[in-house]
Amino acid sequence: MPKSRVVGGTHRVPGDKSITHRALLFAALAPGRSTVTGALTSLDARSTARVLRQLGAEVSPLRQGTPVEIRGRKRLVRSDTALDCGNSGTTARLLLGLLAAQRFSSRVTGDASLRRRPMRRVTDPLVAMGARVTAGANDGLPLTITGGALQALDWELAVASAQVKSALLLAGAAGGVEVRLTERAATRDHTERFLRHFGFDITVRRGVLTLKPTGQFAPFDITVPGDPSSAIFLLAATLLADRGDVRIAGVGLNPSRTGFLAVLRRMGAVIDEANVTESFGEPLGDLITQPAMLVSTDIAADEVPGVIDEIPMLACLAARARGTSRFVGLAELRVKESNRLELLATNLQRLGANARVDGDDLIIAGRDAPLAGRVVTHADHRIAMAFTVLGRVAGNRIRVDDPACAAVSFPGFDVALAALDQGTR
Ligand code: S3P
């Protein structure tokens, strides 16, 4: 009989990835000195810092525990070398929006995973605004973008993507033109919150988001909340433990990011929120939870944009829940850092769980028999972390091929996970 795992304590997760990227980008556009406290220092955040330095912004090294100082400038400068966004889709897409408003050419590239990811969803509307883009035969990086005088945009977004939306808003705000976007579904709204802070007029009415170029970029000081998309891994590890009580303090609670809390609650988790406050227009607070007997749940297609980064962990939890879960409409998961839809299903199957892909849906029949085997991550950080958490369940023997790739979004993930443990009884 395996011993029961006891978890406890108060923990923190690294700064929010989406907010960190945006804070660095906006600070680079604001002439003067800005500071970002609690920034994520992961590989993805470093990619954004690196490309902004290449464009003439001064960005201090990203070090855990030290605020980042940025000296932005009114006009960015051309880089002689390619802007390498590494593994980071957010860096690449938001950067393209920013570059569309700069009067010079830039070469943008990324690692093998990022070079496979679709970019026309951003470059097509940027070209409609007046940017010039020279790309290879396929829909991706590397490409060259030449920015300049832009014109107003009225565009229907074909996919629900905060990265695309943000790129176009950035182009409009930096280029001084109006942008009207018809959205299929609401997505994370951090960019809108920043832009409102700078005085841009942003309205959302019946699925149409309008930006009027009324604002101006000015230096700012921000404290970044903990990343809810990282917190889910510690919450899930707690739910799967046997005893104890865990608090994750200072987590971002922007409603466009917390859809996963509703899903976890439907699965039987009790999650309390405490010390809720607001910082730089973003709500944050503590999340408190305990181990739970999980039951299956369905995720409807219109719920997916709100839980897009949490699907890997939710799928692994569904593999341990009583009953069959169906996650509907996951096409976008195919174009993340890996083809997450296929990887989730094949890895769960390889471990002996009952999972399959049906069209764009993922169907998982939960069971509590031990799972064992090797997980192939394709260097996808969220796949690595989700299966590492599943591997903590007593009796499971799961080996993750590349646990170190967690550093893309969650530096110190293994240490944070181990810190939950208060022993076994
Ligand atoms: C992000 C948007 C989402 C998300 C990504 C971060 C952002 O991507 O998956 O991790 O910061 O805007 P999509 O816009 O491709 O859905």
Side-chain angles (χ1 to χ4, degrees), residues 17-19 21-22 90 93-94 117 121 160-164 166 188 190 308-309 332 336-337 340 382:
K17 181 154 80 71
S18 294
I19 297 177
H21 286 304
R22 286 159 175 80
T90 312
R93 296 196 176 114
L94 269 58
R117 297 178 67 183
R121 49 179 61 191
S161 162
Q163 292 176 356
V164 176
S166 299
R188 65 191 68 191
H190 306 299
I308 191 74
D309 290 338
E332 272 297 298
K336 291 293 175 190
E337 286 81 333
R340 281 189 184 155
R382 298 198 202 280

Side-chain angles (χ1 to χ4, degrees), residues 324-361:
T324 298
S325 298
R326 187 176 194 115
F327 298 176
V328 177
L330 302 183
E332 272 297 298
L333 275 200
R334 296 187 195 275
V335 290
K336 291 293 175 190
E337 286 81 333
S338 68
N339 180 339
R340 281 189 184 155
L341 181 53
E342 295 298 335
L343 259 193
L344 279 170
T346 52
N347 278 313
L348 285 169
Q349 288 160 7
R350 202 174 285 132
L351 298 176
N354 186 343
R356 68 188 170 87
V357 175
D358 176 18
D360 290 332
D361 303 349

